[in-house]
């Protein structure tokens, strides 16, 4: 890539468009109907990981514009957060709620024991928020602040929308999608 912002801007644009394009004209629904749910989400997930890798490499190659100096204590944030992030990310793959990426719209987390969904209705989004925050603390340059800050803003903006969508039952919780504690305590009281 070039030694300017072009590569980074292009990587960010393609990554962002890849997440909004499937929603246009029900492209996602048509692709799922023709390819099947598992194949679509496998291909889409792999494409997202490749594009995400491109964004990370492009951010590292972008010109360094310091926003804050590197802090010794902040370098530990990703190392401490990443084990939790990986567990939440893997955990999020098995939560079947309408709030997860690729979740079935007719899934009803209010039926039966909520299990993992009691801790977080969207563990993958929680993992993304922790990943973003820990890396934002450790990286004080503009390109990384755009990547990690943008991801953190995305998580925060998704929270109210998913919370409105999710408050449809006694076990759905009243807190954030990240940690709706009411279901956890309701299960403990039984």
């Amino acid at each position: 890539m070039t030694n300017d912002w072009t590569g980074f801007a292009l990587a960010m644009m393609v990554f962002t468009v890849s997440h909004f394009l499937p929603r246009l004209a029900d492209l996602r629904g048509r692709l799922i109907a023709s390819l099947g749910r598992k194949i679509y989400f496998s291909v889409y997930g792999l494409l997202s990981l490749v594009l995400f890798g491109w964004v990370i490499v492009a951010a590292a190659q972008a010109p360094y514009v310091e926003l804050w100096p590197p802090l010794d204590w902040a370098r530990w944030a990703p190392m401490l957060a990443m084990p939790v992030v990986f567990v939440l990310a893997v955990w999020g793959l098995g939560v079947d709620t309408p709030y997860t990426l690729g979740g079935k719209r007719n899934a009803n987390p209010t039926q039966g024991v909520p299990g993992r969904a009691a801790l977080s209705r969207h563990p993958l989004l929680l993992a993304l928020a922790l990943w973003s925050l820990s890396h934002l603390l450790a990286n004080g340059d503009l390109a990384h602040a755009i990547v990690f800050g943008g991801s953190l803003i995305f998580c925060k903006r998704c929270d109210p929308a998913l919370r409105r969508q999710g408050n449809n039952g006694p076990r759905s919780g009243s807190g954030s999608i990240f940690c709706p504690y009411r279901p956890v305590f309701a299960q403990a009281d039984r």
Side-chain angles (χ1 to χ4, degrees):
M1 285 285 154
T2 60
N3 195 18
D4 60 12
W5 289 94
T6 308
F8 176 70
L10 183 61
M12 286 294 291
M13 183 185 72
V14 171
F15 182 77
T16 303
V17 167
S18 76
H19 283 73
F20 289 104
L21 188 63
R23 297 186 177 271
L24 298 177
D26 196 35
L27 178 62
R28 176 179 139 165
R30 290 184 297 172
L31 287 171
I32 289 173
S34 66
L35 298 173
R37 187 174 187 79
K38 287 184 181 181
I39 291 175
Y40 171 80
F41 282 108
S42 296
V43 170
Y44 183 73
L46 184 60
L47 175 66
S48 294
L49 285 174
V50 168
L51 292 176
F52 178 68
W54 181 24
V55 166
I56 297 299
V57 169
Q61 293 175 346
Y64 185 82
V65 178
E66 187 174 279
L67 299 177
W68 60 84
L71 305 170
D72 289 335
W73 66 267
R75 299 228 178 261
W76 282 94
M79 289 183 264
L80 295 173
M82 289 312 292
V84 176
V85 167
F86 284 123
V87 168
L88 286 169
V90 170
W91 196 20
L93 297 175
V95 175
D96 190 23
T97 74
Y99 326 116
T100 58
L101 299 173
K104 297 176 184 165
R105 291 183 188 264
N106 62 353
N108 188 351
T110 64
Q111 298 298 316
V113 178
R116 294 179 277 192
L119 176 62
S120 173
R121 284 182 239 144
H122 203 316
L124 203 52
L125 196 60
L126 179 56
L128 179 62
L130 289 173
W131 171 82
S132 300
L133 181 60
S134 66
H135 283 80
L136 184 62
L137 291 172
N139 294 283
D141 65 290
L142 181 59
H144 286 97
I146 291 170
V147 172
F148 301 125
S151 296
L152 199 55
I153 290 168
F154 169 78
C155 293
K156 185 60 183 162
R157 294 212 28 132
C158 283
D159 185 34
L162 292 172
R163 194 177 338 152
R164 279 192 307 274
Q165 184 183 27
N167 284 339
N168 60 355
R171 294 188 189 163
S172 64
S174 60
S176 165
I177 61 161
F178 297 123
C179 293
Y181 292 112
R182 186 169 60 178
V184 174
F185 296 126
Q187 292 296 320
D189 292 340
R190 289 185 180 176

